[in-house]
Amino acid sequence: MGLAAIAFVVVRQLHKIHSSSKLENEVLIAIPFTLLTGVAGGYLLDLLLRGGIQALWLNPRGYGLTFYGWLIACGVFLLFYGKCRKVRPTLLLNLFLPSFALAQAFGRIGCFLGGCCYGRPAKFLGVSYPEGSLPYIHHGSTPLIPVQLYESAYLLITFVILFKVIRFNHRGAWYLILMPAGRFWLEFCRNDDRGTIGCDILSPSQWISAGLFLLGICWLMAIKYNHKKRKISVEALLKASKL
């Protein structure tokens, strides 16, 4: 459902920006390859975080998908695809990244129903999982924080903000600011096995969230700098024309 949401939102945005038929064809070709690359990246990151590099050749089975592995792989592919097909990579990122908020919101509901990515024991408003589920194996009938639903709600709000408030050319940067910011704090509520990168002060997803947040800030600053630079150039041309 989440993957279908990505395709729907991307195509809808193409129509809204009045793209050419050539650009539409390039984006439609990119959609399935982007999603497949994301699946491979999501699986690879989960394998590396929970099994280590040796798991690649010793036991590569039995791992799931991490959203950040999926996101990073999609981003790298879109940059590479844009360069190869002579389509502005930032245009592709502005088309695809905001749609990931909606897809991940659906995905988190699936996590809640499937019993993965579960939260810590709750003092109030907790959810008890049935016997045989992964949370029950680790916590029994203890009510747990439904962090998956909290993140889903946050992502839906993020999606609405991106499409109702943020200009198209700024959406990719703001996605990289808003999504990781919420994910960083919600990670403190989780209690599942998320692997390690050798430093247990923060979870792997929190380290990645911090990096993506800084990347989004830098991208937004670059947009504003280029806009200011173009404005100065236009003003200089207007002055020169009056001489």
Side-chain angles (χ1 to χ4, degrees):
M1 188 172 183
L3 300 182
I6 291 173
F8 174 79
V9 173
V10 169
V11 171
R12 186 175 176 82
Q13 289 307 297
L14 277 173
H15 294 157
K16 282 195 172 184
I17 63 174
H18 306 293
S19 59
S20 64
S21 58
K22 181 179 182 301
L23 176 59
E24 287 189 14
N25 290 335
E26 294 291 356
V27 172
L28 291 174
I29 293 170
I31 289 175
F33 291 104
T34 301
L35 301 182
L36 287 173
T37 304
V39 170
Y43 186 82
L44 179 61
L45 185 60
D46 189 56
L47 182 148
L48 293 175
L49 291 176
R50 295 200 294 126
I53 188 71
Q54 67 277 5
L56 280 171
W57 57 85
L58 293 178
N59 185 26
R61 298 181 180 181
Y63 295 92
L65 299 177
T66 62
F67 175 75
Y68 272 149
W70 190 87
L71 173 63
I72 293 169
C74 286
V76 171
F77 174 80
L78 289 171
L79 291 172
F80 176 78
Y81 182 83
K83 289 289 185 182
C84 291
R85 304 296 296 179
K86 293 181 172 55
V87 179
R88 275 193 302 122
T90 53
L91 173 64
L92 293 175
L93 292 174
N94 282 317
L95 276 171
F96 278 85
L97 290 184
S99 68
F100 293 170
L102 181 60
Q104 193 185 4
F106 287 131
R108 281 298 179 229
I109 295 173
C111 290
F112 174 75
L113 296 176
C116 65
C117 309
Y118 53 87
R120 297 181 179 277
K123 294 181 179 179
F124 60 93
L125 297 178
V127 175
S128 296
Y129 284 84
E131 292 185 26
S133 63
L134 188 60
Y136 187 90
I137 293 172
H138 292 283
H139 296 281
S141 59
T142 302
L144 305 178
I145 299 172
V147 63
Q148 311 98 316
L149 298 183
Y150 294 158
E151 186 170 359
S152 180
Y154 177 79
L155 289 164
L156 286 173
I157 293 170
T158 298
F159 176 78
V160 172
I161 291 173
L162 289 172
F163 282 90
K164 295 295 183 181
V165 180
I166 308 299
R167 294 170 56 187
F168 176 80
N169 290 335
H170 294 185
R171 285 177 186 167
W174 273 107
Y175 171 80
L176 292 179
I177 294 171
L178 294 173
M179 185 277 293
R183 177 66 180 271
F184 183 92
W185 294 108
L186 286 168
E187 281 286 307
F188 287 115
C189 297
R190 287 178 61 172
N191 201 34
D192 58 317
D193 177 20
R194 287 156 287 166
T196 180
I197 54 175
C199 181
D200 294 330
I201 299 174
L202 299 173
S203 71
S205 291
Q206 285 175 314
W207 288 113
I208 297 173
S209 293
L212 292 176
F213 181 85
L214 292 175
L215 180 61
I217 292 291
C218 291
W219 186 2
L220 194 61
M221 291 174 63
I223 293 172
K224 292 185 179 297
Y225 172 78
N226 289 333
H227 177 73
K228 185 177 180 180
K229 190 175 179 180
R230 285 195 297 270
K231 186 177 180 181
I232 292 173
S233 299
V234 171
E235 289 176 350
L237 286 172
L238 289 174
K239 288 181 180 179
S241 65
K242 291 178 181 179
L243 295 177

